[in-house]
Amino acid sequence: MTNLLEIHNIHTFIGQFHILEAVSLAVPQGSITALLGRNGAGKTTTLKSILGLTPPSEGQIYFEDQPIHGYRSFEIAALGIGFVPEHRAIFRDLSVAENLRIAERRKGDLRRKEEFIFSLFPDLKRLIHLPGTNLSGGQQQMLAIARALVPDNKLLLIDEPSEGLAPVIIEHMMAAIRQLSQEKTVLLVEQNFIVASQLAERYVIIEEGRSVKQGLMADLVDDPATIRRYLGAA
Amino acid sequence: MLRKYRLQLITLAVLAVLFIMAIQGMSAKDGLTIVIRGLSVGAVTFLVASGLSLIFGLMDVLNLAHGTLFMLGAYAGWTIYVRPDTVVDLIPPLALLLVGLVLMPLWPVLLGRLGRMPAAVWGWLGLAMAGVLLLISLPSIPIAAWSARDYAQSPVSYAIMLSQGQLQFPPAEATGPLSPAVALGGVLLAGLVLGGSLTVLSQRHRGMRVRGQATPPQSPPKGRRISLSHWERVGVRATAAGLLLLAGLLVLALNDNLTAWLLGLGTNWLFGLALIGGTLTAAALGGLMEMTLIRPLYDRPIYQLMMTLGLAVVGHELVVALWGRPEFTMPKPALFNGVGDGCPAESWAAWLELHCSTILVLGGRIRVYNEIFLIIVGLVVLVAVSLLLQRSRLGMIIRAGVQDSDMVEALGINVRRVFTLVFALGAGLAGLGGVLAAPSIGLSPLMGESVLLMALIALAIGGLTSFPGAAVGSVLVGLMEQFIIKYGQIGIPLPFLEEPFKPSPTLVPASTVLLMVIILLAMPQGLFGRTE
Amino acid sequence: MSLSAATSSPRTRRWQPYLAPLGLFIGLAALPFVVALLSGQSPAGVLANEAGSAKFIQGLLIEIMILAIVALSYDLVLGITGLLSFGHALFFAAGAYLTGVLLKSFGWSLGATLGLVLVSAVLQALLFGVVLPRVKGITFALVTLGLSEVFYIVVQSRELGQYTGADVGLQGVPPPDFLNPTSHRLTFYLVTLIFTFAVYLFYRLFVDSPTGRVCVAIRENENRALMLGYNTFYFKLVVLVIAAITANLAGTLHALYQPVISPNIASLNAMVDILLMTLIGGLGTLTGAPIGAAIFRLLTFFLDRWFGESASFMLGVVYVALVLFVPYGIVGTWQRRGFHLAAGRRWLLGLLTGRGDG
Amino acid sequence: MAADIILETQQLRREFGALVAVDNVSVKIRAHTFHSIIGPNGAGKTTFFNLLSGNLKPTSGRVLFKGRDITHLPLHRTAHLGIGRSFQITNIFPNLTVVENIRLAAQALGRDNFHFWRHARHFRRYEERAAAVLDQVGLAKRADAPARTLPHGDQRKLELGMLLAPDPEVLLLDEPTAGMATEQVPELIDLIQGFQAAGNKTVLLVEHNMNVVMRVSDYITVMHYGQVLAEGTPADVTANEVVQEAYLGTLYGDVATDS
């Protein structure tokens, strides 16, 4: 199994604060990898650093064995990386259809993917002309994921998909992520360990801006000491 | 819906009542004239304010140099209109300069071969070098100039001569020692260097944002795969550059014929060209400004504001240096300038025949250009920009970028290019406004500052980021101004004064500022601003 | 205790920063005499108000010091407290015009004039204060700019022309005899010098005082200051009052010194000049303001000489270059000499974006 | 009984667009207790905190402090009532020194805010208070460093110090341990607990670390989708079936108990 994404020792500053102080990780092709860690450990910043939204000042990032650090976000994204940010970042003033259309990288992207997207999230079809503001949290989350599916992305970076969602909807979301992971590689930040452990095959733990442990999720689930040590009980 | 906009509706109702009360004492003729004139001023203000609001909405830059762009557009348009010979002389060097800019996409490839991007300093050095090259080369290219000091050769006298229909141009002269061929080569080189340095500067910024200059950001990695489509694009660019070069040389060869042809077009067509030229000049300057001077400051909003303030001053001085201090006029095109028998026209049918400068409506004289044409253009722009925002992909990106430009970038869209585009668009609108306003308000180096003030007030009233707000605010400002002017003639009876108070024209802008302060005190976000 | 380093004998430490200004003060007071000696005049000539380079130098320094006071007061508002006001020219111009009109048209004594200038200064600050809690950031800049534009417009209007001289400017303000800058140049020079240093010292003390520290905290993170329980509005108002009083008094000096009060001192250009002076020296440093004022005045002097008509253009270019390349000014750069430039830049980013804390 | 309630919310509700972040929450906080709020990410805990401290205004509902309505009090007034609040994201004055950060916090509620020329360091009361707090949170050695140069964990401590300096009656702590290394967490929690017990304070804590919460809390409120799911002592909450189902149960069920 080759690695789709590799990160070597990146350091990232936000303003005056040193947020990432050595993060290394690898995301194998075709897997779901979960980034775990306590609040404020630097998980979201890791995702943003991959995309160049908070560019790392040191270290290397390789996507399909091609270095992508130092490039601008839109160039990185255009290589085939989709981003589903925390709090979804749905464009409130755009309709659902526009929210999807804006993600097109080539003309007709949306038309080609329409069927797949609506089969994953049938709700969106019903809401297609509503402005983003009027969507509920779960619908926004679906739209955010759908938006990342419009272009031909190989890797999806998903930040806290289950945050603030009711259990039923989380179930639905997990099913959708599992289904789309058959063709995409996913790097996931998830606070809810249950969700993470059921979705992901691999894990990376980040603490205080460092990647401290990574491996197979199956091993982690059998290792309550590590869970307690790094993630608290929750 | 009603509850949501309650405050806005009340304010507008109060203003409407005030305006109606103000009209009460006047004849229908006076009232109509004031409203139409107010709308006309509002239309010009809107052209500036709309650009300001687009730019502020998307990138949080309050461009205090926008009035200057308005002014530069007006002066450029005037030059095309009154001195086409100068413009024709300027085309070849401009075309050669553009060649370098068109070829800009080549630079990343070349620089990529170097392995690492040169430091930003090289970009700035390159810019300076291009400037020096231009300073050396340009004087050696024959360009028909005028003198700000010699009255017979000044823009003022040309404006007068044109209005009397007796333009005579002095031959173009070169003042530099170089041969024209060498000079043109110098300009071409300057264009290439300019393109290169702009590339370096635009590639650098993201890195600088991270940690400042001390730790140079990483160089783009070597061995980046260049897709075929990239080479295709380069090919298109190269062809375009070649055509530009050819066009420039062609204009150089056919200089006199082209001038004669342009003059033969007549004022209507020339005015059209002036509109296009003024808009493009302002747009190009705006785009360039954004790329070089505003972009490095996106993380320092206060400095951005200071920068645009400084650019306003620089632009003002530039106009003084090139066109001189005195005010001068821009005659209206023939379409709106008919006089003599049958004028003012009594009906639209008569107007279509005679193209009178004024028309009688309800017994009052209405100036067709100022009070009808300008309003129509204002409406057209309002509709066009609204359509652009609501229907086009660019508009979609702008609306999305207003909310979260990082997310737009993360979708794979080059937001920085969108920024430059919107800045150029806004500047172009201001330039268009400048050319349009020039025949009615005349040209002076102070026109920028006063229109900027009006536009800022309109914007603040309407809500800084709201495009419809800019329109409403502009109309309010225009109406307010006309009413105060009218009351300057008839006087306002004040309780403590025996004679009615007649505000002089200089006081007019003060009244609009007061309107702004009052509205902002009631609604800090303006009429249509977001409340957060 | 372990905190000894922080609290150790503030008395000895406190006076150290004032030694250099004190030296400068003595030096400047003696300067006219030194110049007189060097140029072959007798020092007695200076006392007798003889024409010559000593008198010229005094004149130049008076201008610089008046500018320095204005720049200092602006630094307090923008650099220390982080209030983005673009209406500062109003404070200076209002002081100048009020002094001029009261002395010339109403024949008031200097004392009475000063009294009214102080009252009007407080009122101006309160005017800004009315706006303060409602509009923030760029809108505050806009509103203050608008208010100062109103003053600029009104002062040029023909309604007030008989008092203000409309767009020509206010001419022939009679300074009191003992302070006449032509006949008693040295007195005027020394008065200005003493006032300038008094202002500087007061500002220094203010910045280190409990109130001043809160002002700095407001610049750093206003929301946090609010949550600690500071009603930041009052602190900003205090700063505005102090700055308005100082700038108005500088305006008074300007009115007494200059033969003509031009309405341009209230214009947008004047605001750019104030910004430029503060920027040259370095925002938020206090020391930078007088240095910036001196450099600014000399720069205009030499640019006028070298470029004539295009001097203002060159000044604009200098300004743009400063904003772009030397954002923290001369003193700011010098203070950060030991750090990485990047550290200084980050500091600045934090300062100006307020994002430094997140 | 009623006198015992120091902080109370009545039908507190806050909407963001279509999203209801806090949905008619009525909570009573007893004086001198350690009260924790738990719930999954996005359950509305931080919004609830912002409503309590006045950083956000509710769409509807009231906040009472000692029976007095403080819902619409300006931000700076709540601090004067004796309510202090910390943030999930570090919220300090980055360019001031550590001691100055604390001193400003101590000075806030005093009567010396409008002294214009005496040097701030001459006000011994605040100096001493700052020194004491610095010792308490263990930052005395870094007193003169600019706050931004501190490592993340120390910045959290500084934040806590700024909270303790004015000696508030009620402390609202929003994930005080966020981003800290696990080893440092107990230390910080002990510090908070000590402060609470010694001064007879009321502490309201949002925390993810369930072990910590269970150990230190007198009462726990469980929030879920903007609503209160359950309330009670740690024992009550752990025993509550609804909570088991929705939050704790799944966690412990799948991870802890299976292994």
Coordinates of all heavy atoms in Angstrom, one line a residue, chain A residues 87-132:
Chain A
H87 N -17.1 23.5 11.4 CA -18.3 24.4 11.3 C -18.7 24.5 9.8 O -19.3 25.5 9.5 CB -17.9 25.8 11.9 CG -17.3 25.7 13.2 ND1 -17.9 25.0 14.3 CD2 -16.2 26.2 13.8 CE1 -17.2 25.1 15.3 NE2 -16.1 25.8 15.1
R88 N -18.3 23.6 9.0 CA -18.8 23.5 7.6 C -18.5 24.5 6.6 O -18.3 24.3 5.5 CB -20.3 23.3 7.7 CG -20.7 22.0 8.3 CD -21.4 22.3 9.6 NE -21.3 21.2 10.5 CZ -22.0 21.1 11.7 NH1 -22.8 22.1 12.0 NH2 -21.9 20.1 12.5
A89 N -18.5 25.8 7.1 CA -18.2 26.9 6.1 C -19.0 26.8 4.9 O -18.5 27.0 3.8 CB -16.7 27.0 5.8
I90 N -20.3 26.6 5.1 CA -21.2 26.7 4.0 C -21.4 28.2 3.6 O -21.4 29.1 4.5 CB -22.6 26.2 4.4 CG1 -22.5 24.7 4.6 CG2 -23.7 26.5 3.4 CD1 -22.1 24.0 3.3
F91 N -21.5 28.5 2.3 CA -21.6 29.9 1.9 C -23.1 30.3 2.1 O -24.0 29.8 1.4 CB -21.2 30.1 0.5 CG -19.7 29.8 0.3 CD1 -19.4 28.8 -0.6 CD2 -18.8 30.4 1.0 CE1 -18.1 28.4 -0.8 CE2 -17.4 30.1 0.8 CZ -17.1 29.1 0.0
R92 N -23.3 31.1 3.1 CA -24.7 31.4 3.6 C -25.5 32.1 2.5 O -26.7 31.9 2.4 CB -24.7 32.3 4.8 CG -24.2 31.6 6.0 CD -24.3 32.5 7.2 NE -23.5 33.7 7.1 CZ -22.3 33.9 7.6 NH1 -21.8 32.9 8.4 NH2 -21.6 34.9 7.4
D93 N -24.9 33.0 1.7 CA -25.7 33.8 0.7 C -25.9 33.0 -0.6 O -26.5 33.5 -1.5 CB -25.0 35.1 0.5 CG -24.9 36.0 1.7 OD1 -25.7 35.6 2.7 OD2 -24.2 36.9 1.7
L94 N -25.3 31.8 -0.7 CA -25.4 31.0 -1.9 C -26.5 29.9 -1.7 O -26.6 29.4 -0.6 CB -24.1 30.4 -2.3 CG -23.2 31.3 -3.2 CD1 -22.8 32.6 -2.5 CD2 -21.9 30.6 -3.5
S95 N -27.2 29.6 -2.7 CA -28.1 28.5 -2.6 C -27.3 27.2 -2.6 O -26.1 27.1 -2.8 CB -29.1 28.5 -3.8 OG -28.4 28.1 -5.0
V96 N -28.1 26.1 -2.2 CA -27.4 24.8 -2.2 C -26.8 24.5 -3.5 O -25.6 24.0 -3.6 CB -28.4 23.7 -1.8 CG1 -27.8 22.4 -1.9 CG2 -28.9 24.0 -0.3
A97 N -27.5 24.8 -4.6 CA -27.0 24.5 -5.9 C -25.7 25.3 -6.2 O -24.7 24.7 -6.7 CB -28.1 24.8 -7.0
E98 N -25.7 26.5 -5.8 CA -24.5 27.4 -6.0 C -23.4 26.9 -5.2 O -22.2 26.9 -5.6 CB -24.9 28.8 -5.7 CG -25.7 29.5 -6.8 CD -26.0 30.9 -6.5 OE1 -26.4 31.2 -5.3 OE2 -25.9 31.8 -7.3
N99 N -23.7 26.5 -3.9 CA -22.7 26.0 -3.1 C -22.0 24.8 -3.7 O -20.8 24.6 -3.5 CB -23.3 25.5 -1.7 CG -23.1 26.6 -0.7 OD1 -22.0 27.0 -0.3 ND2 -24.2 27.2 -0.2
L100 N -22.7 24.0 -4.5 CA -22.1 22.9 -5.1 C -21.4 23.3 -6.4 O -20.3 22.9 -6.7 CB -23.2 21.8 -5.5 CG -23.8 21.1 -4.3 CD1 -25.0 20.2 -4.8 CD2 -22.8 20.3 -3.5
R101 N -22.0 24.2 -7.1 CA -21.5 24.6 -8.4 C -20.1 25.4 -8.3 O -19.3 25.3 -9.1 CB -22.5 25.5 -9.1 CG -22.3 25.5 -10.6 CD -23.6 25.7 -11.4 NE -24.8 26.1 -10.7 CZ -25.2 27.4 -10.6 NH1 -24.5 28.3 -11.2 NH2 -26.3 27.7 -10.0
I102 N -20.0 26.1 -7.1 CA -18.8 26.9 -7.0 C -17.6 25.9 -6.8 O -16.4 26.3 -7.1 CB -18.9 27.8 -5.7 CG1 -17.8 28.9 -5.8 CG2 -18.8 27.0 -4.4 CD1 -18.0 29.9 -4.7
A103 N -17.8 24.7 -6.4 CA -16.7 23.8 -6.3 C -16.3 23.1 -7.6 O -15.2 22.4 -7.6 CB -17.1 22.7 -5.3
E104 N -17.0 23.4 -8.6 CA -16.6 22.8 -9.9 C -15.2 23.3 -10.3 O -14.9 24.4 -10.2 CB -17.6 23.3 -11.0 CG -18.9 22.6 -11.0 CD -19.7 22.9 -12.3 OE1 -19.6 24.0 -12.8 OE2 -20.5 22.0 -12.7
R105 N -14.4 22.3 -10.7 CA -13.1 22.7 -11.2 C -13.1 22.7 -12.8 O -12.3 23.4 -13.4 CB -12.0 21.8 -10.7 CG -11.0 22.5 -9.9 CD -10.1 21.6 -9.0 NE -10.5 21.7 -7.6 CZ -10.4 20.6 -6.8 NH1 -10.0 19.5 -7.2 NH2 -10.8 20.8 -5.6
R106 N -13.9 21.9 -13.3 CA -14.1 21.9 -14.8 C -15.6 22.0 -15.0 O -16.4 21.5 -14.2 CB -13.5 20.6 -15.4 CG -12.0 20.8 -15.8 CD -11.5 19.5 -16.2 NE -11.6 18.5 -15.1 CZ -11.6 17.2 -15.4 NH1 -11.5 16.7 -16.6 NH2 -11.7 16.3 -14.4
K107 N -15.9 22.5 -16.2 CA -17.3 22.6 -16.5 C -17.9 21.2 -16.5 O -17.3 20.3 -17.1 CB -17.5 23.3 -17.8 CG -18.2 24.6 -17.7 CD -18.6 25.2 -19.1 CE -19.9 26.0 -19.0 NZ -19.9 27.0 -17.8
G108 N -19.1 21.0 -16.0 CA -19.8 19.8 -16.0 C -19.5 18.8 -14.9 O -20.0 17.7 -14.8
D109 N -18.5 19.2 -14.0 CA -18.2 18.4 -12.8 C -19.5 18.0 -12.1 O -19.7 16.8 -11.7 CB -17.3 19.2 -11.9 CG -15.8 18.9 -12.2 OD1 -15.6 18.0 -13.1 OD2 -15.0 19.6 -11.6
L110 N -20.3 19.0 -11.8 CA -21.5 18.8 -11.0 C -22.4 17.8 -11.7 O -22.9 16.9 -11.1 CB -22.2 20.1 -10.7 CG -23.4 20.0 -9.8 CD1 -23.1 19.3 -8.5 CD2 -24.0 21.4 -9.6
R111 N -22.6 18.0 -13.0 CA -23.6 17.1 -13.7 C -23.1 15.7 -13.7 O -23.9 14.8 -13.5 CB -23.7 17.6 -15.2 CG -25.1 17.5 -15.7 CD -25.4 18.1 -17.0 NE -24.5 19.3 -17.3 CZ -23.6 19.3 -18.3 NH1 -23.3 18.2 -18.9 NH2 -22.9 20.4 -18.5
R112 N -21.8 15.5 -13.8 CA -21.3 14.1 -13.8 C -21.5 13.4 -12.4 O -21.7 12.3 -12.3 CB -19.8 14.1 -14.1 CG -19.6 13.7 -15.6 CD -18.1 13.6 -15.9 NE -17.6 15.0 -16.0 CZ -16.6 15.4 -15.3 NH1 -16.0 14.6 -14.4 NH2 -16.1 16.6 -15.4
K113 N -21.3 14.3 -11.3 CA -21.3 13.7 -10.0 C -22.7 13.7 -9.3 O -22.9 13.2 -8.3 CB -20.4 14.5 -9.1 CG -18.9 14.5 -9.5 CD -18.4 13.1 -9.4 CE -17.0 13.0 -10.0 NZ -16.1 13.9 -9.3
E114 N -23.6 14.5 -10.0 CA -24.9 14.7 -9.4 C -25.5 13.4 -8.8 O -25.9 13.4 -7.6 CB -25.9 15.3 -10.4 CG -26.6 16.4 -10.0 CD -27.3 17.1 -11.2 OE1 -27.4 16.5 -12.3 OE2 -27.7 18.3 -11.1
E115 N -25.6 12.4 -9.6 CA -26.3 11.2 -9.2 C -25.7 10.6 -8.0 O -26.4 10.3 -7.0 CB -26.2 10.2 -10.4 CG -27.3 9.3 -10.5 CD -27.2 8.4 -11.7 OE1 -26.9 8.9 -12.8 OE2 -27.3 7.2 -11.5
F116 N -24.3 10.5 -8.0 CA -23.6 9.9 -6.8 C -23.9 10.7 -5.6 O -24.2 10.2 -4.5 CB -22.1 9.9 -7.1 CG -21.3 9.5 -6.0 CD1 -21.4 8.2 -5.5 CD2 -20.3 10.3 -5.5 CE1 -20.6 7.8 -4.4 CE2 -19.5 9.9 -4.4 CZ -19.7 8.6 -3.9
I117 N -23.8 12.1 -5.7 CA -24.0 12.9 -4.5 C -25.4 12.8 -4.0 O -25.6 12.7 -2.8 CB -23.7 14.4 -4.9 CG1 -22.2 14.6 -5.2 CG2 -24.2 15.4 -3.8 CD1 -21.8 15.9 -5.7
F118 N -26.4 12.8 -4.9 CA -27.8 12.8 -4.4 C -28.1 11.4 -3.9 O -29.0 11.2 -3.1 CB -28.7 13.2 -5.5 CG -28.6 14.7 -5.7 CD1 -28.9 15.2 -7.0 CD2 -28.3 15.6 -4.7 CE1 -28.8 16.6 -7.2 CE2 -28.2 16.9 -4.9 CZ -28.4 17.4 -6.2
S119 N -27.4 10.4 -4.4 CA -27.6 9.0 -3.8 C -27.1 9.0 -2.4 O -27.6 8.3 -1.5 CB -27.0 8.0 -4.7 OG -25.6 8.0 -4.5
L120 N -26.0 9.7 -2.1 CA -25.4 9.7 -0.8 C -26.3 10.6 0.1 O -26.6 10.2 1.3 CB -24.0 10.3 -0.8 CG -22.9 9.4 -1.1 CD1 -21.6 10.2 -1.0 CD2 -22.8 8.3 -0.1
F121 N -26.7 11.8 -0.4 CA -27.5 12.7 0.4 C -28.7 13.1 -0.3 O -28.8 14.2 -0.9 CB -26.6 14.0 0.7 CG -25.3 13.7 1.3 CD1 -24.1 13.9 0.5 CD2 -25.2 13.2 2.6 CE1 -22.9 13.7 1.1 CE2 -23.9 13.0 3.1 CZ -22.8 13.2 2.4
P122 N -29.8 12.2 -0.2 CA -31.0 12.5 -1.0 C -31.7 13.8 -0.5 O -32.3 14.5 -1.3 CB -31.9 11.3 -0.6 CG -31.1 10.4 0.1 CD -29.8 11.0 0.6
D123 N -31.4 14.2 0.7 CA -32.0 15.5 1.3 C -31.7 16.7 0.4 O -32.5 17.6 0.2 CB -31.5 15.7 2.7 CG -32.5 15.2 3.7 OD1 -33.4 14.5 3.3 OD2 -32.3 15.5 4.9
L124 N -30.4 16.7 -0.1 CA -29.9 17.9 -0.7 C -30.7 18.2 -2.0 O -30.9 19.3 -2.4 CB -28.4 17.7 -1.1 CG -27.5 17.7 0.1 CD1 -26.0 17.6 -0.4 CD2 -27.6 19.0 0.9
K125 N -31.2 17.1 -2.6 CA -31.9 17.3 -3.9 C -33.2 18.1 -3.6 O -33.6 19.0 -4.4 CB -32.3 16.0 -4.5 CG -32.8 16.0 -5.9 CD -32.8 14.7 -6.5 CE -33.0 14.8 -8.0 NZ -32.8 13.5 -8.7
R126 N -33.8 17.8 -2.4 CA -35.0 18.5 -2.1 C -34.8 20.0 -1.8 O -35.6 20.9 -2.0 CB -35.6 17.8 -0.8 CG -37.0 18.2 -0.4 CD -37.5 17.1 0.6 NE -36.5 16.8 1.7 CZ -36.4 17.6 2.7 NH1 -37.1 18.7 2.9 NH2 -35.5 17.3 3.7
L127 N -33.5 20.3 -1.2 CA -33.2 21.6 -0.7 C -32.5 22.5 -1.8 O -32.1 23.6 -1.4 CB -32.4 21.5 0.5 CG -32.9 20.6 1.6 CD1 -31.8 20.3 2.6 CD2 -34.0 21.3 2.3
I128 N -32.4 22.0 -3.0 CA -31.4 22.5 -3.9 C -31.5 24.0 -4.1 O -30.5 24.7 -4.3 CB -31.5 21.7 -5.2 CG1 -30.3 22.0 -6.1 CG2 -32.8 22.1 -6.0 CD1 -29.2 21.0 -5.8
H129 N -32.7 24.6 -4.0 CA -32.8 26.0 -4.2 C -32.8 26.9 -3.0 O -32.9 28.1 -3.1 CB -34.0 26.3 -5.1 CG -33.9 25.7 -6.5 ND1 -32.9 26.1 -7.3 CD2 -34.6 24.8 -7.1 CE1 -33.0 25.4 -8.4 NE2 -34.0 24.6 -8.3
L130 N -32.7 26.3 -1.8 CA -32.7 27.0 -0.6 C -31.3 27.7 -0.4 O -30.3 27.2 -0.7 CB -32.9 26.1 0.6 CG -34.4 25.8 1.0 CD1 -34.4 25.0 2.3 CD2 -35.1 27.1 1.2
P131 N -31.3 28.9 0.2 CA -30.0 29.5 0.6 C -29.4 28.8 1.7 O -30.1 28.2 2.6 CB -30.4 30.9 1.0 CG -31.9 31.0 1.2 CD -32.4 29.8 0.4
G132 N -28.1 28.8 1.8 CA -27.3 28.0 2.8 C -27.7 28.4 4.2 O -27.6 27.5 5.1

